[in-house]
Amino acid sequence: MPQRSVSATRIVHAPAARIFDLLADPSKHPLIDGSGSVRAPRPGAPERLAPGSAFGMDMKIGLAYRIENTVVEFEEDRLIAWRHFNGHRWRWRLTPLADGTTKVTETFDWSTARVPLFFDLSPIPKRNLAGMERSLERLHALFGSNA
């Protein structure tokens, strides 16, 4: 079976709770999106995500479109993941470190997709990995080195 996820990791100079608060606020997602595709939350998005939260985002990759998401993994200050209509997931895992920084890992996981073969055969995982690396750079820049 092929590997069906890609991940990027970076140390961020902020406590996990502060980073999680940003990730759990859909209105902040455009600030950290390294792909350039996330524009804004759709009307009706919750102010803070929780288990089972549904939220839509205005997106643009060439053409503008909308995507609906549902939070499917949630552990306060440690883990949040949402699923798109096709079943693939975007996951953020936060690991607090002894010096007050946090190891942040973002994962694009298509093992749960309805048609994982589509992603296996496409350039999307490689493109998403590059976007995740830029997202982590943006997240790091938001908190700086003395958060």
Side-chain angles (χ1 to χ4, degrees), residues 28-38 90 92 106 127-139:
K28 303 291 191 247
H29 291 185
L31 296 175
I32 59 172
D33 171 48
S35 73
S37 64
V38 178
W90 291 96
W92 292 84
E106 184 182 6
R127 185 185 72 215
N128 286 349
L129 179 58
M132 291 187 301
E133 290 167 348
R134 288 188 299 271
S135 292
L136 290 169
E137 288 171 15
R138 291 176 73 146
L139 184 65

Side-chain angles (χ1 to χ4, degrees), residues 4 19 28 30 40 42 45 55 58 61 85 90-91 104 119 139 145:
R4 290 192 161 145
I19 298 167
K28 303 291 191 247
R42 300 284 306 143
F55 66 104
D58 286 332
I61 300 177
F85 64 92
W90 291 96
R91 180 180 300 113
V104 180
F119 293 105
L139 184 65
S145 59

